[in-house]
């Protein structure tokens, strides 16, 4: 839960809060669980504005997981580029050749 939300809107004193250090195994496990929760909120969003807000929340948790894991965004981006060049990606970028912009392959039927 967002720490500022708890302190300001819910009026719970900081001293009464239990916290998790995000850079620990427990914190990383929590963030991975939180990513799934936020992704489901993106799935359930109906309007473009709601989708945008939920993607922002999801990105916040992803950024926290990247930081807590000690990873560098540039390393993740490089891995993503390699994987997209090998297997394709979900959005068009100059450095790989997926389907035309706005089209993704959903499935391939068995023969």
């Amino acid at each position: 839960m967002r720490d500022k939300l708890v302190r300001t809107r819910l009026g719970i004193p900081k001293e009464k809060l239990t916290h998790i250090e995000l850079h620990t195994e427990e914190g990383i496990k929590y963030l991975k669980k939180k990513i799934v929760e936020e992704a489901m909120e993106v799935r359930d969003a109906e309007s473009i504005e709601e989708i945008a807000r939920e993607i922002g929340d999801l990105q916040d948790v992803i950024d926290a997981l990247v930081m807590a894991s000690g990873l560098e965004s540039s390393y993740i981006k490089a891995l993503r580029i390699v994987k997209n060049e090998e297997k394709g990606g979900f959005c068009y970028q100059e450095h790989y050749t997926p389907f035309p912009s706005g089209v993704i392959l959903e499935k391939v039927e068995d023969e």
Side-chain angles (χ1 to χ4, degrees), residues 1-8 10-20:
M1 181 178 281
R2 298 175 185 266
D3 59 343
K4 188 174 182 181
L5 172 70
V6 172
R7 288 193 316 267
T8 58
L10 301 180
I12 299 171
K14 188 174 183 178
E15 301 78 34
K16 296 209 181 244
L17 301 177
T18 301
H19 68 280
I20 299 171

Side-chain angles (χ1 to χ4, degrees), residues 7-65:
R7 288 193 316 267
T8 58
R9 292 192 189 157
L10 301 180
I12 299 171
K14 188 174 183 178
E15 301 78 34
K16 296 209 181 244
L17 301 177
T18 301
H19 68 280
I20 299 171
E21 295 291 332
L22 294 181
H23 63 278
T24 66
E25 187 176 323
E26 180 184 16
I28 290 171
K29 185 176 179 179
Y30 169 81
L31 289 169
K32 289 165 56 175
K33 181 179 173 184
K34 191 70 176 167
I35 283 174
V36 173
E37 178 185 316
E38 295 298 340
M40 289 190 305
E41 290 180 13
V42 172
R43 179 199 64 198
D44 295 340
E46 295 183 8
S47 70
I48 294 299
E49 184 178 331
E50 191 178 1
I51 291 169
R53 282 195 311 266
E54 297 304 340
I55 288 173
D57 290 347
L58 177 60
Q59 188 64 57
D60 281 346
V61 181
I62 291 170
D63 291 345
L65 180 59

Side-chain angles (χ1 to χ4, degrees), residues 28-110:
I28 290 171
K29 185 176 179 179
Y30 169 81
L31 289 169
K32 289 165 56 175
K33 181 179 173 184
K34 191 70 176 167
I35 283 174
V36 173
E37 178 185 316
E38 295 298 340
M40 289 190 305
E41 290 180 13
V42 172
R43 179 199 64 198
D44 295 340
E46 295 183 8
S47 70
I48 294 299
E49 184 178 331
E50 191 178 1
I51 291 169
R53 282 195 311 266
E54 297 304 340
I55 288 173
D57 290 347
L58 177 60
Q59 188 64 57
D60 281 346
V61 181
I62 291 170
D63 291 345
L65 180 59
V66 168
M67 182 190 68
S69 300
L71 295 168
E72 294 288 331
S73 295
S74 59
Y75 175 68
I76 294 168
K77 182 177 182 179
L79 290 177
R80 192 179 87 224
I81 289 169
V82 169
K83 186 173 183 178
N84 287 345
E85 287 175 346
E86 292 172 355
K87 298 183 179 188
F90 288 99
C91 59
Y92 179 79
Q93 305 235 351
E94 289 180 19
H95 50 273
Y96 40 89
T97 54
F99 293 94
S101 181
V103 177
I104 62 169
L105 177 64
E106 182 179 11
K107 68 179 178 177
V108 175
E109 292 189 23
D110 295 332

